Amino acid sequence: MTRRTRGSTLFVNPLMAIYFSFDLDGLARRSLYLDRLEHTVGMRQVASRIEEFRDEIERRTPRVFPH
């Protein structure tokens, strides 16, 4: 415990024990907006291009993560 966390309750999400890995080339091949990111130079441009893409598609309804 540190001074910053003293007196608080620690929440340990079960997913914290899982090591996530993926195939970057495979992920890039499946990306529906990768071509829109090609000439971006900053995080704001990336975020706006992704936001524009999301405005054009029908998104799934968000669900609460059960924990």
Side-chain angles (χ1 to χ4, degrees), residues 52-64:
E52 288 168 4
F53 170 79
R54 293 180 70 170
D55 288 342
E56 295 173 9
I57 62 168
E58 186 174 330
R59 293 185 274 172
R60 291 180 281 188
T61 305
R63 296 181 299 173
V64 175

Side-chain angles (χ1 to χ4, degrees), residues 4-21:
R4 185 176 63 84
T5 59
R6 188 172 292 122
S8 65
T9 303
L10 175 63
F11 171 74
V12 178
N13 186 311
L15 294 177
M16 293 170 79
I18 299 174
Y19 181 79
F20 289 95
S21 63

Side-chain angles (χ1 to χ4, degrees), residues 26-53:
L27 179 67
R29 279 192 302 275
R30 291 186 54 129
S31 174
L32 300 176
Y33 54 82
L34 187 61
D35 59 321
R36 299 172 188 228
L37 304 180
E38 187 174 4
H39 299 290
T40 56
V41 292
M43 195 58 217
R44 286 186 181 167
Q45 281 185 329
V46 170
S48 0
R49 302 277 172 88
I50 293 172
E51 186 177 341
E52 288 168 4
F53 170 79

